[in-house]
Structures are given as structure tokens and as C-alpha cells.
Amino acid sequence: MREYTKEHTKAWSEKIDTFDGFIFVTPEYNHATSPALMNAIDYLYKEWNNKAAGFVGYGAAGATTAVENLRMMMAEIQVADVRAQVRLSLFTDFENFSKFKPASYQEKTLHAMMGQVINWSRALGALR
């Protein structure tokens, strides 16, 4: 593992290796996460292991299916995903479907998710 030949992959590996946890932000495309995010995750394996992740999804229904898609990916790369997630609706958290104006309750949800990611990242430190 980690026998990368391309400089961009080596740089990506080094960057991801420095983090203890992640917050993924994803739109929903055809009930899945974006191909660009999926590709970025798929390039690596060991660098993700024994870390924590939280999710912010945006779409017509808060990208719930895209986040579930990511949760399955996280299990495969040994990332512990947290329960809390931020679900941003294009109808209520964006003005004219483009200008980001989150509803006030989203702040509480974001803080809960971030707190869980921090706690799990610390707890998993012993495994890294």
C-alpha cells in the first residue's frame, strides 16, 4: 500500500494522512455522492483508516441518499461515521436555489455533528 507513482496522488496521500477526522460536504446526483468526491476517496485506503467522518449534504431532500452512499464507502475504508448530519434543502436553505442562506436550526445540527466528529477522532487516535 501507498506505493503511489503520480505526484498528485502522493500529495493527496500526505495531506489526508495529516487529519484525524473529516467533514464531507456532498451534493446529491442520481441518489449518490458526486463522482469527483467518490474519486478523491477511492484514490487512497490506509490514509483514511481509523478516523472519523461527518456529513453535510445538500439537495432537494438534503442529499440523504448521497450521505447513505458515503456511509457505505466509509465502512469499507474503515472510517467511523457519526450519527448527526446536516441536511441542507435547496428549498429552505438556499435563496433562489443558489444563494446559501441556511435555516437557523442548521447551526445547532452542525455543532452537534462537529462535536461527534471531534470526539470520535480523539477516541480513534489510539488505533492510528
Side-chain angles (χ1 to χ4, degrees):
M1 291 286 188
R2 297 188 197 210
E3 296 179 18
Y4 306 119
T5 59
K6 305 290 185 198
E7 289 304 314
H8 65 275
T9 309
K10 291 176 184 179
W12 181 234
S13 169
E14 289 174 17
K15 178 55 77 177
I16 294 303
D17 222 17
T18 65
F19 297 109
D20 297 325
F22 308 94
I23 296 173
F24 292 95
V25 179
T26 183
E28 184 165 295
Y29 295 117
N30 299 320
H31 299 291
T33 190
S34 74
L37 178 56
M38 190 177 304
N39 189 48
I41 293 167
D42 284 345
Y43 258 91
L44 309 176
Y45 179 73
K46 286 282 189 194
E47 296 84 348
W48 300 112
N49 295 174
N50 301 312
K51 297 179 179 180
F55 306 102
V56 175
Y58 62 95
T64 302
T65 309
V67 169
E68 290 307 311
N69 176 250
L70 277 172
R71 288 184 190 281
M72 289 188 292
M73 291 176 68
M74 294 298 109
E76 193 61 32
I77 59 173
Q78 300 184 52
V79 171
D81 58 286
V82 302
R83 181 181 181 276
Q85 75 183 60
V86 179
R87 297 173 184 93
L88 300 171
S89 168
L90 291 175
F91 298 102
T92 59
D93 296 303
F94 292 83
E95 184 179 284
N96 296 322
F97 300 100
S98 59
K99 187 174 182 182
F100 185 52
K101 287 193 166 189
S104 60
Y105 67 85
Q106 296 290 14
E107 186 174 352
K108 182 178 177 182
T109 307
L110 176 65
H111 285 285
M113 184 265 298
M114 290 174 66
Q116 289 176 11
V117 170
I118 290 167
N119 290 338
W120 276 98
S121 293
R122 288 179 180 150
L124 291 166
L127 297 174
R128 290 188 298 278

